[in-house]
Amino acid sequence: MSTINLPLNLTVRVHPVVLFQIVDAYERRNADSERVIGTLLGSVDKGVVEVTNCFCLPHKEHTDQVEAELGYASDLYELNQRVNASENIVGWWATGQEVTNHSSVIHEYYARECSNPIHMTLDTSLTGARMGLKAYVCVSLGVPGGKSGCMFTPINVEVTSYEPEVVGLQLCMKTIGLQANPNRPRTVNTMLDLAQVTDASDKLLTLLGEVLAYVEDVLSEKQQPVNTVGRALLDLIHSVPNMSGDQFAQMFNSNVKDLLMVVTLSQLIKTQLQLNERLTSLTSFLN
């Protein structure tokens, strides 16, 4: 027996917005649908599949066949290409934690849309109080000159994010426990830019305190040193620019002034838009 097309060295990196879109599609599913499927969009570079977007594919699964609105998927992909031409089809997703009997049929369609498509599953049932995330590739199996089949083989998958996405995730984490505590507010507001700087500075001071405590314990022989931690601290020290306190204060004050200028301009633009909206409404009322 031999294997054909063996892309097992792929690594899938999924952005949080993709997970949110899948969960939203699952919550909006039809009452008679057990699972939801859709198309994964992103890019492939040097064995890394980066999934940055997705959309839902309406379908129905029967005992012996699968019905999917392929025309809808094609139209939606063309519309997405007009907005972001760099996002291409890289595979498909499905809710649940298992590969079903219909998965190979759906995979055949995506194999015609892209080379070596990936299949990603997201367990929205929260089995084990976690949302399990898995990724697979379909490996062809068969005897040369004979019949061939396929097998879904797991590959490495991880969640990655851009810096703006990290800010959004941190804001989402503040909503944890809202339902358990009725006294907490039902909504969470975004922090002002200066408040975020203050919060980040407080967290940085806390981390520096933990590092200093570790170094003092090692110097006083209360704790055994860890080589990996020592190398990380050395790299951290070398990465810090060599500047005096006055130079750092000047650089910080300059950045704060730029930040305040951006905040002022954004508030001014917001005020002008609100004024324009009210004047437009007043003019239409008078006419």
Side-chain angles (χ1 to χ4, degrees), residues 50-268:
E50 188 166 2
V51 183
T52 56
N53 200 356
C54 71
F55 59 83
C56 180
L57 174 61
H59 84 297
K60 292 183 179 180
E61 296 184 8
H62 304 282
T63 305
D64 55 348
Q65 63 178 355
V66 178
E67 297 179 1
E69 298 183 14
L70 302 181
Y72 172 85
S74 179
D75 294 340
L76 200 57
Y77 174 64
E78 290 180 1
L79 291 175
N80 188 83
Q81 281 282 291
R82 297 180 182 180
V83 178
N84 193 345
S86 62
E87 290 183 345
N88 300 311
I89 297 177
V90 295
W92 65 287
W93 58 267
T95 57
Q97 58 179 341
E98 297 179 354
V99 177
T100 65
N101 297 330
H102 299 308
S103 296
S104 58
V105 178
I106 302 173
H107 199 83
E108 289 180 1
Y109 162 72
Y110 285 95
R112 298 192 297 267
E113 298 295 323
C114 64
S115 177
N116 294 327
I118 63 170
H119 174 37
M120 189 179 74
T121 60
L122 185 66
D123 183 15
T124 50
S125 63
L126 299 179
T127 303
R130 294 185 62 85
M131 186 160 29
L133 179 64
K134 298 179 181 179
Y136 305 86
V137 290
C138 189
V139 180
S140 299
L141 302 174
V143 179
K147 295 183 178 181
S148 61
C150 65
M151 178 180 64
F152 285 92
T153 304
I155 57 176
N156 184 38
V157 59
E158 57 190 33
V159 178
T160 186
S161 58
Y162 301 125
E163 292 185 1
E165 293 176 331
V166 173
V167 177
L169 290 175
Q170 292 175 348
L171 186 62
C172 291
M173 291 178 63
K174 294 182 179 180
T175 63
I176 298 176
L178 288 180
Q179 296 181 351
N181 188 357
N183 296 325
R184 293 183 59 182
R186 302 298 299 174
T187 59
V188 177
N189 298 323
T190 57
M191 297 174 59
L192 297 176
D193 293 336
L194 291 179
Q196 292 183 13
V197 172
T198 303
D199 186 58
S201 300
D202 293 338
K203 292 180 180 179
L204 180 60
L205 288 175
T206 302
L207 294 176
L208 287 176
E210 294 178 359
V211 172
L212 289 175
Y214 167 78
V215 173
E216 292 176 355
D217 290 342
V218 171
L219 293 178
S220 61
E221 297 183 354
K222 294 181 180 179
Q223 182 176 349
Q224 293 295 326
V226 181
N227 293 333
T228 55
V229 176
R231 295 191 187 97
L233 291 175
L234 182 62
D235 295 337
L236 176 63
I237 293 174
H238 288 319
S239 64
V240 176
N242 186 12
M243 62 176 65
S244 62
D246 295 337
Q247 291 175 337
F248 177 80
Q250 182 179 0
M251 181 188 67
F252 180 78
N253 292 331
S254 177
N255 291 332
V256 170
K257 291 179 181 178
D258 294 340
L259 177 61
L260 290 175
M261 179 62 69
V262 172
V263 172
T264 303
L265 290 175
S266 63
Q267 293 294 336
L268 182 60

